[in-house]
Every structure is written in structure tokens, then in C-alpha cells.
Amino acid sequence: MKERLEAIKKSALEQIEQAQKMESLNAVKVNFLGKKGELTKVLKGMKDVAKEDRPKVGQMVNETRQIIEKALEEEMAVLKRKIREEKMKSEVIDVTLPGKTHEKGHRHPNQIALDDLERVFIGMGYEVVEGPEIEYDKYNFELLNIPENHPAKDEQDTFYINKDILLRTQTSPVQARIMEQGKLPIRIISPGRVFRSDEVDATHSPSFHQVEGLVIDKGITMADLKGTLQQFAREFFGPETEVKFRPHHFPFTEPSAEVDITCFKCGGEGCRMCGGSGWIEILGCGMVHPHVLEMCGIDPEVYSGFAFGIGLERVALLKYEIDDMRLLYENDKRFLSQF
């Protein structure tokens, strides 16, 4: 038994001396001191040792264990010190280097304009509703009184995924979905990203943002539409802003109009911003077409409503006097830091 213990001690000390990594030392500890280790096997074989020799053998096992444990502790301390020294060499900090500044982010001008716009309409009792950017032709065109082969489809240069699915060209599909639910009255705005096959220039982009509004209730008239948009214009652009409605045509509204506001730069006197006219076009609007109400399951004899669509980039460009839409997307910190 003594010879066996000596062999175990010799083998353990040799392996400890040869170990170059902590993993190797842990393996030695398990192999010799673990539940299935060599010393544990010796203790389990004590039943075969003569009764009078058991205390002596037990003492020898404990001494061997202590020697191995001490050697392990010493070698682990040496390895830890080496690891720490190597780490300190590889992680040298040059205290003479200038400090790094951590810049705080802030809202994009588009988001600032959207927050201001939503604040105005929420204050008038509107709910903000969003919808999918990948949309069915049914909601993007058909339910908005734009059937197959309608010229408006060509005018919008739509990105089609297949015959029935497309990237929405406007956020009006959200309005159609809400009307289809039949929960009346309705008073919503629907902001979101839309897509059209436009060339990129100072005023166009294949991806931009719209905020469309819809009100459906009993007794809604053009007067309600005018009052709403006048209130919006004054809160968003300034209390002195005047509004002008010009007749227009949209398939989903009848009658339809485009809305101009007095130039907030010159107050309507004429300047570079408004092209000398004193007026700036900001949105399109109109009374919801009775056929649109019918297709969405709403009785046009009982209910009426109005809708409007605002180009978010357009009002942001106007409000912050930005002359190129591309600046909003280029992520130039010199430009964005102004906001």
C-alpha cells in the first residue's frame, strides 16, 4: 500500500509540474483527489487492509492528499500570477491619450415634425393608428375607389411584389382597414413609411413618409374639414397662418381640394421660400367618396367624413427651411446636429 501511495504522489507531482494551464491543473485535481480519483480508490480499498494497519494507512493517505493539495495550490498561484502579468502587458492603458467624448443622440428632424404633428391631432381627439407596409392591392387601391386599369395606378408607379401584393403607396390602406371594422365614429391619423418608384432628387425619394387623417361620423361636412386643417396649420406653423383651399381631384374623395398656407417666412408677402406667391402647398384633402364608404360597409346616407394626407418630409422641409430632401436621409452629423 505504501508503494502504491508513493507512486500516486510521484505521478501527481510530475503532472502538476508539467501543467502549463489552469485546465491541466484542474484535471490533475479531479484525477487524484476527485470522487473517482486515485486516492479515493485507495480509501475504498481499506476494507482489504488488516484492521490493525488501517490507522497507519489512513494517515499515509491523508499525508499524500495534503502534499498533492499543497503542490496544486502553489502551482495555481504561479499560473494565476503569470496570467495576470500577461493580461496587464496586453491591456496597457496610455494615460496620456485624450479622453473620448460620449455624444448624446437626439431626435431626427422627421421625428420632431411627426411628434409635433401627432401632438396637434391628439389634442383634437384623434387616435394614432399604424398598419402594414406590405399591403394588398385591395386595401391600397380597390377599396379607395381605384379599380383595376385606373390611371391613378400608373401615376403612382407602384412597387408590386405580385399581382395582389405591393409596397403601399400611401397610408390610406390603414383608413380602409379601420372603416372595414365598422367601429364608428372614426377619428384617426395614420403615419408611416410609403413607397413609390421615384428618382431620387431634392424633392423626391422612392421611400418617404405620410400622415393621413380620417374622420367618419354623422353630420360631418366640408366646414369641419376646413376648421380642422386651419387649426392644424396654426398650431404647427404659427398662429398667424392662413389657409387656402383649391379645387382638385382625388379618386377617394369628392369634393377634393389641395391646401395652401401663407408663407411663414414672409407672412404672405412673397419670398424665395414661396416662389414669390406668398402661399405654400402643404397637403391634399376632401370629403370621403360615398362609394368608398359603401365598399367599406358604411352607409353613406347616414355617415359622412373627410380625409387628408400630409407628406411628413414636406412639412419638415418647410418648417425647418431645408432645401434638399436628401439631407434627411444621408445621416450627416453636421446637418443633424442642428436639430
Side-chain angles (χ1 to χ4, degrees), residues 164-177:
D164 300 316
I165 301 176
L166 48 84
L167 298 181
R168 66 181 181 185
T169 61
Q170 54 214 357
T171 58
S172 301
V174 180
Q175 300 177 2
R177 288 176 176 273

Side-chain angles (χ1 to χ4, degrees), residues 133-142 146-170 195-197:
E133 294 178 357
I134 300 176
E135 189 56 274
Y136 289 104
D137 183 278
K138 170 186 174 182
Y139 292 103
N140 196 82
F141 289 123
E142 187 180 334
I146 307 175
E148 192 174 357
N149 300 323
H150 194 286
K153 285 192 173 184
D154 297 329
E155 292 171 6
Q156 294 194 11
D157 294 327
T158 309
F159 289 108
Y160 275 92
I161 296 172
N162 60 36
K163 185 173 68 73
D164 300 316
I165 301 176
L166 48 84
L167 298 181
R168 66 181 181 185
T169 61
Q170 54 214 357
F195 308 87
R196 295 183 190 177
S197 184

